[in-house]
Amino acid sequence: MGDPELRNKLSTAHIATFAKHMLCPYSVLYPNQNTKLSEQGLEDFTKYPYRMLSDSYEADSDASEDILLDEIAKSLKNVDSCKRPLLLLSDGKDSMGLALGYSHLGMKIDTLTFLRRDDSELKEYITNICNKLGHTAHFVEVDEIITSFDKSIFLSACENMNTPVLDQGFLFFLFGLRTFFNNPNFDPSDYVIIDGLGNDETFGYLPSEHQIRSFKLAKMGIWKMLPKSCHSLKWYLRSPAESHGDLSALACFFPIGSSYDLNKYFSKIEAKTQELSFIDFRAFSRGAFHDHQCMMGKTVASTKHLGADVNFPWLASSLAKYVFNLPKNKKFDFNSLTNKVLLRELLENKLGWHQQKRGVDLYFDLDLDSFKINVLDKIIPEKITKIIKSNKLLPSYVKQRAYLELLNLYGFCIAQGMASSDIEDILLK
């Protein structure tokens, strides 16, 4: 089971890098033996195209709502016209902008929204927006997703991961989409899944207030003083890399001690938090690696398994170039931590949009005990899940995240033909 050659490349250090930091650039996965890691990090950062201070930034895009809408529509028009679009729709800016773009083209499409338990407010909001734009809204609730879990299907889908996908949403995307396509009227091969990810790196990936505070604390070096046995304290005293949101919950329960020191990447940014330094580095770290390999990875692996196509319209070259070269004040306001300014204005004027960021938080509805019994115990040894369950320091939502990441990691490793003992070595040694 799995590719023997690939398995030989998947050393403990490589897997642990994903598990600990949720990012791993190609040059680190297959490093030149004569190149120091810190030099690689700096070189990769310098060459990354979506940096506010890079040579390619021209700031010459006309900051017009109409032009932005036209560019969005153009990116959607270029999607395979032989396939039926299925837009993954939340109440966030990115997917709402695509829903508006389809309406601008005069196209009526299907949308799919994953709902938390009893989230009638979001369901009503999405329904009203779709009615206004002429789209057909479909919904799958979290309980439908969890009860449809199937071990063989999950492990088969993990074979479509090119790298470990530790995004907590993978399980929900896979079985949520599968639930939708179980309707006899919907054949996955007829569809292209439209995902709104990909514009943070061009608009400017802003930190939250919590991440700024956490990063300043990280630069003081307190995290280095933590005993190796105190994994749980990582959640509260993070390293520079982890403070930017690239902390896997698994690292708070397991030593995962043999990963590359990617904190050297993040040490290139100054502690005084100059806005463009933050924007540059977060575009590189979260945009290039966290988004593409982790968050987009869950959609790619899910759709490949189901037999559908997938498209990320915000990555279309014309739209990405237009957004990247917008004047800075139409991209973000660092002082107020307001992002995607022009897109906000477009949605407010066209749809009356004033939504607060919610995030993909379906895991909050997981019951830890029943999820362990009905899902985890079918794949993961008891002695491993017990480490998470028995922790007294960390709250339930961290355990929920860790359970989902652990499930993904096991699924990927099993799909590559690794034995349980190999996976335990990654986690425990």
Side-chain angles (χ1 to χ4, degrees):
M1 185 176 185
D3 183 344
E5 183 177 351
L6 176 60
R7 181 181 174 183
N8 290 334
K9 294 179 180 178
L10 294 174
S11 70
T12 298
H14 293 156
I15 301 294
T17 298
F18 294 104
K20 185 176 182 181
H21 299 291
M22 296 178 73
L23 57 87
C24 184
Y26 185 85
S27 58
V28 175
L29 187 58
Y30 305 106
N32 184 322
Q33 295 180 356
N34 298 321
T35 306
K36 293 181 180 180
L37 180 62
S38 58
E39 293 177 357
Q40 287 181 350
L42 186 58
E43 181 179 357
D44 287 349
F45 174 55
T46 302
K47 291 181 177 179
Y48 184 65
Y50 299 125
R51 296 170 52 230
M52 277 298 301
L53 297 178
S54 69
D55 293 337
S56 60
Y57 178 63
E58 299 175 354
D60 60 353
S61 292
D62 186 352
S64 160
E65 294 176 27
D66 290 338
I67 295 178
L68 173 58
L69 183 55
D70 286 341
E71 288 290 343
I72 293 173
K74 186 191 304 181
S75 73
L76 297 171
K77 193 173 183 180
N78 291 332
V79 176
D80 187 353
S81 59
C82 296
K83 300 275 187 172
R84 294 177 60 182
L86 176 64
L87 172 63
L88 299 176
L89 184 61
S90 72
D91 59 351
K93 299 180 291 297
D94 306 330
S95 60
M96 276 290 165
L98 299 181
L100 182 61
Y102 272 116
S103 178
H104 187 61
L105 285 173
M107 293 180 61
K108 298 179 179 181
I109 65 165
D110 293 312
T111 72
L112 178 60
T113 304
F114 303 132
L115 291 176
R116 285 191 61 184
R117 189 177 298 128
D118 302 322
D119 199 350
S120 57
E121 183 179 341
L122 177 59
K123 186 173 184 178
E124 181 180 1
Y125 179 80
I126 294 290
T127 300
N128 290 337
I129 289 292
C130 285
N131 287 340
K132 182 176 182 177
L133 296 177
H135 305 322
T136 302
H138 304 271
F139 302 91
V140 177
E141 297 187 358
V142 64
D143 290 334
E144 295 180 83
I145 296 172
I146 297 302
T147 55
S148 66
F149 177 81
D150 181 285
K151 174 183 175 180
S152 61
I153 290 172
F154 180 78
L155 293 178
S156 177
C158 288
E159 294 179 7
N160 293 288
M161 293 182 182
N162 294 322
T163 60
V165 173
L166 293 193
D167 191 299
Q168 298 93 2
F170 175 60
L171 175 73
F172 304 107
F173 271 56
L174 173 61
F175 288 98
L177 283 165
R178 187 171 182 271
T179 299
F180 172 82
F181 286 124
N182 275 343
N183 187 313
N185 295 322
F186 304 140
D187 183 343
S189 64
D190 292 336
Y191 280 85
V192 54
I193 309 300
I194 307 298
D195 193 318
L197 286 169
N199 66 11
D200 288 281
E201 56 194 315
T202 51
F203 263 115
Y205 216 138
L206 287 180
S208 66
E209 291 183 4
H210 172 76
Q211 288 170 338
I212 290 178
R213 290 194 300 268
S214 179
F215 183 73
K216 289 181 177 180
L217 184 62
K219 294 295 283 189
M220 295 172 64
I222 299 176
W223 62 279
K224 296 179 181 179
M225 304 176 190
L226 292 178
K228 291 185 177 180
S229 59
C230 296
H231 313 303
S232 299
L233 293 178
K234 279 179 170 290
W235 193 259
Y236 306 103
L237 294 173
R238 303 185 181 190
S239 69
E242 294 161 348
S243 69
H244 280 267
D246 286 306
L247 171 66
S248 166
L250 288 181
C252 300
F253 297 92
F254 301 98
I256 317 178
S258 58
S259 72
Y260 291 110
D261 184 10
L262 295 182
N263 283 298
K264 290 182 179 180
Y265 280 23
F266 290 81
S267 296
K268 301 298 178 184
I269 183 172
E270 299 177 355
K272 57 186 177 182
T273 66
Q274 290 181 343
E275 61 181 60
L276 290 178
S277 296
F278 259 88
I279 298 301
D280 273 1
F281 215 92
R282 285 175 63 84
F284 167 67
S285 62
R286 291 188 60 90
F289 304 129
H290 182 100
D291 276 4
H292 286 263
Q293 292 193 11
C294 183
M295 297 180 71
M296 294 180 191
K298 70 176 181 294
T299 314
V300 172
S302 298
T303 54
K304 278 186 176 180
H305 170 76
L306 294 168
D309 289 344
V310 63
N311 190 279
F312 301 92
W314 285 103
L315 296 180
S317 57
S318 177
L319 178 58
K321 182 178 180 181
Y322 170 79
V323 171
F324 178 64
N325 285 303
L326 285 169
K328 191 185 77 171
N329 67 335
K330 290 298 182 179
K331 296 176 68 168
F332 61 86
D333 181 343
F334 193 87
N335 292 329
S336 65
L337 295 180
T338 301
N339 65 349
K340 307 177 187 179
V341 174
L342 185 61
L343 180 57
R344 286 176 182 270
E345 294 172 351
L346 172 65
L347 295 176
E348 288 171 1
N349 290 331
K350 297 291 186 180
L351 298 177
W353 179 93
H354 292 94
Q355 300 298 103
Q356 296 295 319
K357 183 174 182 179
R358 297 164 59 101
V360 180
D361 53 6
L362 294 174
Y363 63 86
F364 280 121
D365 280 336
L366 289 182
D367 177 83
L368 290 174
D369 291 333
S370 64
F371 185 70
K372 178 183 175 300
I373 294 171
N374 296 321
V375 177
L376 298 181
D377 288 352
K378 296 179 179 180
I379 295 178
I380 304 170
E382 168 76 19
K383 67 177 181 180
I384 298 297
T385 55
K386 186 177 180 180
I387 293 173
I388 297 175
K389 182 179 179 180
S390 62
N391 185 285
K392 303 297 183 184
L393 183 60
L394 292 170
S396 293
Y397 74 89
V398 182
K399 294 181 180 181
Q400 290 164 333
R401 292 179 58 170
Y403 272 160
L404 288 163
E405 292 175 9
L406 184 64
L407 181 66
N408 293 0
L409 179 63
Y410 258 82
F412 174 81
C413 292
I414 291 172
Q416 300 304 324
M418 298 178 69
S420 293
S421 57
D422 297 328
I423 309 173
E424 290 176 20
D425 285 346
I426 292 170
L427 291 166
L428 300 176
K429 293 183 179 181

